[in-house]
Amino acid sequence: MNNVRKNIQKELSLLGQDLKKIHISDLLESTDFSHNVIELDFLTFDYSKQRIDQKTLDYLFHIPDLIDLKESLHSLFTGKISNPSENKLVSHTIYRNQAINDNFELIFTEREKIKSFLDQNQKGYSFKNIICLSIGGSRLGPEFLNEYLSLDGQVNIYFCSSFDLEEIKYALRECQQIDTIVFACSKSFKTFEIMKNLEYVKSWFSKKPEINFEDHLYGISSNASAMTDFGIKDANQFLLLESLGGRFSLWSSVSLPALVNADYESYQDLLYGAHLADEYTNNTSWEFNISVLMALLSIWNRNALDISNHGIFTYNFKLRSLTKYIAQLAMESNGKSINHNSEISPFLTTQLIWGGYGIENQHSTFQWLMQGKTETSCDFIGINNNEDGAKDSYEILLSQVLAMTLGQEDKTSPFKTVRGNNPCSIFQLQKLDLKSLGFLLALYEHKTFIEALILGIDPFDQWGVQLGKKLSMKAKKDKGFLKTFFSPSILPKS
């Protein structure tokens, strides 16, 4: 790990020594909160309730130049950044770019297949149910998007991946073979959980031999031959680039099942919003660049203030699962401490990401946040417009931010004292449309990438996850393997 990063880490520790002792309320200027607010067309970002001063901000804005961030961003947005430990290019930003790139031609041919599928089904669905077999990022992104799109959807969409098959059994109770189609999503088309669920669905269809399962089966993968071997027709195959990581795959055909209750224009809006975030992040100076600020604040809170966890709380029902999506994006990308050159990062790496639907959290986990002994940094995400309920929900959001940051001392009844001092940022969306959603999600992607660059790690591999897969396969093939490590009473029943 180069000395630049070691020096950054040391400087952050020094700057944090004083600010650890300061309360956020002491940092606020009573008359002007606008200097730490960034207003854009789609959203406003307010970081005025972070535990940080101008001296520290000035230093933080110096960090991107120390690691040549500008050059790295250019490489990311032109498809030239790589995943070095797996020797792959990284292509997720190309998926939302309308300009054809000769090196990624498959993206644009597959986009036409997505359009054809959605346009054809807009004329009248021949099915009422979709079973979507997917896991990890290939599930969390589309499942979240489906929740956003499907409050009034005509088609029921069920996401399944549980290895005990209880999830798929529950879903199929609501379905009939005649009006159900299946999407199997696995980049390798070898994912253990997906293939087990797929075999179960195949057996379910076999109960109706007059129905041809192959007419109801679609595949989303980078492995065309494996899809063909399983019996998926070429016309029902949607191909992914090998360079597209699962947690970055929302922009591809992976989201096709969720888009069935929308249309191709909705898909284009999502891509367009994300692409605008790409251009904004690439072309905006560091001090006005939300993705850069998010990454810098994350590293500051973790390394200077010793805050090990970060809560993300949404205040709109359609965004209730957004935190799960971001948690996987952040922690699978940056939940590591060593890079492909076997160099250990001098930083404490990514925070634990948790949270959820804010209205529910207020009546559960917020008690721990208010009066527990563990400090937490937070993002609050809400919609501020005149639509029914949005204003009231947003007022609650702002009130919770005040309680979380400023707290309140009660000298008469100390047990009522709330310490506050949890650093918080606010995302205020002007409206909740797909362009705004794409913009927001891409900002979080770029935050993750920029944070990884500063930390000196690779956000595009996941060797910890791979070990878990490897040992699971070993246990399945070698029935004596687990006996070496566990009591007989703990082992799977024979």
Side-chain angles (χ1 to χ4, degrees):
M1 192 64 61
N2 65 47
N3 289 326
V4 170
R5 290 181 174 84
K6 293 177 182 178
N7 291 334
I8 292 171
Q9 196 278 331
K10 289 178 183 177
E11 186 64 26
L12 292 178
S13 297
L14 290 173
L15 289 167
Q17 288 178 3
D18 291 332
L19 283 167
K20 281 181 185 179
K21 307 168 188 175
I22 292 177
H23 199 281
I24 291 172
S25 59
D26 297 325
L27 294 169
L28 297 179
E29 298 179 12
S30 58
T31 57
D32 182 15
F33 301 107
S34 62
H35 60 288
N36 284 348
V37 175
I38 299 174
E39 298 184 40
L40 305 177
D41 290 341
F42 290 118
L43 54 81
T44 298
F45 180 66
D46 181 342
Y47 63 104
S48 65
K49 305 302 183 292
Q50 291 285 334
R51 201 191 317 168
I52 200 163
D53 58 14
Q54 191 58 48
K55 175 184 176 183
T56 301
L57 279 172
D58 290 341
Y59 177 74
L60 291 181
F61 290 136
H62 180 55
I63 292 175
D65 293 327
L66 296 177
I67 62 162
D68 298 323
L69 177 59
K70 193 68 180 175
E71 181 179 345
S72 296
L73 287 175
H74 176 74
S75 296
L76 176 69
F77 297 127
T78 53
K80 296 177 181 176
I81 205 77
S82 67
N83 169 358
S85 72
E86 296 178 313
N87 194 29
K88 298 176 184 176
L89 291 176
V90 173
S91 59
H92 61 278
T93 63
I94 310 299
Y95 267 86
R96 57 234 193 182
N97 195 330
Q98 295 299 315
I100 294 178
N101 187 315
D102 292 339
N103 294 324
F104 300 96
E105 186 177 353
L106 178 69
I107 292 174
F108 304 95
T109 58
E110 289 300 304
R111 197 177 288 173
E112 289 301 313
K113 290 182 69 174
I114 294 171
K115 183 178 188 303
S116 176
F117 181 89
L118 293 174
D119 287 350
Q120 177 182 348
N121 286 290
Q122 284 297 309
K123 299 174 183 177
Y125 292 113
S126 59
F127 51 88
K128 296 179 181 178
N129 306 293
I130 292 178
I131 302 296
C132 184
L133 307 179
S134 54
I135 198 167
S138 298
R139 172 172 178 166
L140 291 172
E143 190 169 27
F144 159 65
L145 185 60
N146 176 60
E147 288 180 355
Y148 171 85
L149 290 168
S150 296
L151 288 180
D152 301 311
Q154 299 178 38
V155 178
N156 302 310
I157 304 175
Y158 303 94
F159 290 84
C160 302
S161 58
S162 73
F163 202 65
D164 58 16
L165 299 177
E166 291 301 319
E167 196 172 29
I168 187 69
K169 291 176 183 177
Y170 178 83
L172 293 177
R173 285 191 335 199
E174 308 297 321
C175 303
Q176 300 293 327
Q177 288 89 339
I178 190 66
D179 55 16
T180 299
I181 64 172
V182 179
F183 276 89
C185 181
S186 166
K187 193 167 78 169
S188 66
F189 217 75
K190 297 177 182 178
T191 308
F192 208 38
E193 297 87 347
I194 302 308
M195 301 315 294
K196 183 174 182 179
N197 277 266
L198 184 54
E199 290 289 351
Y200 184 85
V201 175
K202 184 177 181 179
S203 69
W204 179 72
F205 266 91
S206 70
K207 296 175 183 178
K208 296 284 184 178
E210 68 275 16
I211 296 174
N212 185 4
F213 178 46
E214 292 183 2
D215 292 336
H216 293 247
L217 179 60
Y218 295 80
I220 304 172
S221 176
S222 63
N223 191 342
S225 61
M227 287 193 284
T228 300
D229 289 345
F230 193 85
I232 301 177
K233 300 176 180 179
D234 289 350
N236 290 1
Q237 295 182 13
F238 293 86
L239 293 175
L240 304 171
L241 287 172
E242 181 63 30
S243 55
L244 180 67
R247 55 189 175 275
F248 298 93
S249 65
L250 179 74
W251 321 103
S252 71
S253 55
V254 166
S255 288
L256 180 57
L259 292 163
V260 164
N261 281 314
D263 51 29
Y264 186 72
E265 288 69 28
S266 299
Y267 176 51
Q268 289 289 82
D269 284 347
L270 182 73
L271 298 183
Y272 180 68
H275 181 61
L276 289 179
D278 296 344
E279 293 185 329
Y280 160 79
T281 300
N282 194 33
N283 298 320
T284 304
S285 60
W286 308 140
E287 63 269 28
F288 300 110
N289 195 314
I290 296 174
S291 299
V292 171
L293 265 165
M294 292 167 70
L296 293 171
L297 289 170
S298 176
I299 289 172
W300 165 256
N301 286 324
R302 183 70 187 98
N303 286 270
L305 301 183
D306 294 329
I307 298 175
S308 63
N309 71 101
H310 182 74
I312 300 176
F313 304 104
T314 57
Y315 277 75
N316 184 282
F317 184 68
K318 288 185 175 182
L319 300 179
R320 60 194 181 277
S321 294
L322 175 59
T323 299
K324 290 194 295 184
Y325 172 72
I326 296 174
Q328 197 245 356
L329 168 68
M331 290 195 288
E332 192 172 31
S333 295
N334 293 346
K336 58 201 72 161
S337 57
I338 190 168
N339 66 18
H340 66 286
N341 291 322
S342 300
E343 299 168 324
I344 299 174
S345 174
F347 298 94
L348 297 169
T349 54
T350 191
Q351 296 170 290
L352 164 70
I353 310 295
W354 66 285
Y357 187 36
I359 295 296
E360 293 178 352
N361 279 271
Q362 286 173 202
H363 297 275
S364 55
T365 59
F366 277 20
Q367 171 59 40
W368 175 75
L369 283 167
M370 301 291 188
Q371 289 189 303
K373 285 191 172 183
T374 302
E375 292 181 337
T376 301
S377 60
C378 303
D379 288 347
F380 283 77
I381 303 172
I383 319 301
N384 189 16
N385 57 34
N386 294 321
E387 294 182 10
D388 291 344
K391 177 183 176 182
D392 293 341
S393 182
Y394 192 69
E395 285 178 348
I396 294 173
L397 180 158
L398 294 180
S399 300
Q400 296 298 323
V401 169
L402 290 180
M404 205 79 69
T405 56
L406 303 186
Q408 186 176 66
E409 185 179 13
D410 192 325
K411 294 182 179 179
T412 304
S413 302
F415 62 89
K416 295 181 180 179
T417 293
V418 173
R419 59 171 171 78
N421 220 27
N422 294 299
C424 294
S425 296
I426 300 168
F427 278 100
Q428 172 195 268
L429 278 69
Q430 316 329 334
K431 56 183 177 179
L432 190 54
D433 58 14
L434 283 166
K435 291 178 184 177
S436 300
L437 185 63
F439 194 90
L440 176 67
L441 297 181
L443 290 183
Y444 271 100
E445 281 188 350
H446 300 329
K447 176 257 186 185
T448 301
F449 173 69
I450 295 164
E451 186 175 1
L453 290 177
I454 298 171
L455 296 172
I457 55 178
D458 178 8
F460 302 115
D461 60 18
Q462 53 281 325
W463 293 104
V465 171
Q466 299 302 336
L467 175 61
K469 292 180 181 179
K470 178 181 177 181
L471 294 181
S472 295
M473 292 298 295
K474 185 175 179 64
K476 183 173 178 61
K477 293 178 180 179
D478 180 2
K479 297 305 180 183
F481 171 62
L482 295 177
K483 294 179 181 180
T484 309
F485 303 97
F486 296 98
S487 162
S489 63
I490 295 294
L491 292 171
K493 303 298 181 183
S494 58

